[in-house]
Amino acid sequence: MAKINTIAELKKLREDLQGAAQANAGKPLVNVSLATCSVASGGRDVMAAMKEETAALGLDVEFVQSGCMTFCFAEPTVVVTLPGKDPVTFGYLDAEKAKTLVQKYIKDGELVDGVIPVGYERIVL
């Protein structure tokens, strides 16, 4: 990432990021934790399985990866945000459970096992 030296550059970056966010509006968003504990628990396999399943089903899904989401006890974890709905965190995943998550929750909105209750509220600036 380039260093930001002026207010104009900062505003341009903000506009670019907002434009990218609007381009992805309406798509399901899958945030896969790929911190050390998740990678050690198979997080990369989960992400690959989910990408493979969304492609097989022809779903348009935005994937991002993040660091620690503080759910180390339940890794690998993913946070799925369906359009117009609150994010839902799923844990204890493996490749097969990840495919089921895509088939049932992302495609049809049907909850599956492994939901992790969260005690925070997300604030979007």
Side-chain angles (χ1 to χ4, degrees), residues 18-101:
Q18 287 177 333
Q22 287 178 348
N24 290 327
K27 290 183 188 177
L29 174 65
V30 176
N31 183 353
V32 181
S33 170
L34 288 179
T36 304
C37 54
S38 181
V39 170
S41 300
R44 291 188 196 282
D45 295 337
V46 165
M47 187 168 191
M50 292 184 77
K51 285 184 173 181
E52 180 181 306
E53 193 64 18
T54 56
L57 296 173
L59 301 174
D60 190 11
V61 176
E62 174 80 14
F63 283 92
V64 296
Q65 66 182 53
S66 66
C68 183
M69 293 195 281
T70 69
F71 302 115
C72 303
F73 62 92
E75 294 295 349
T77 58
V78 300
V79 177
V80 179
T81 307
L82 297 179
K85 295 189 174 184
D86 289 334
V88 179
T89 304
F90 296 90
Y92 307 103
L93 295 171
D94 58 22
E96 286 306 312
K97 289 178 183 175
K99 288 182 179 181
T100 301
L101 176 63

Side-chain angles (χ1 to χ4, degrees), residues 108-124:
D108 298 328
E110 178 185 336
L111 280 176
V112 296
D113 287 340
V115 173
I116 300 173
V118 294
Y120 64 87
E121 181 177 330
R122 183 180 173 154
I123 298 172
V124 178

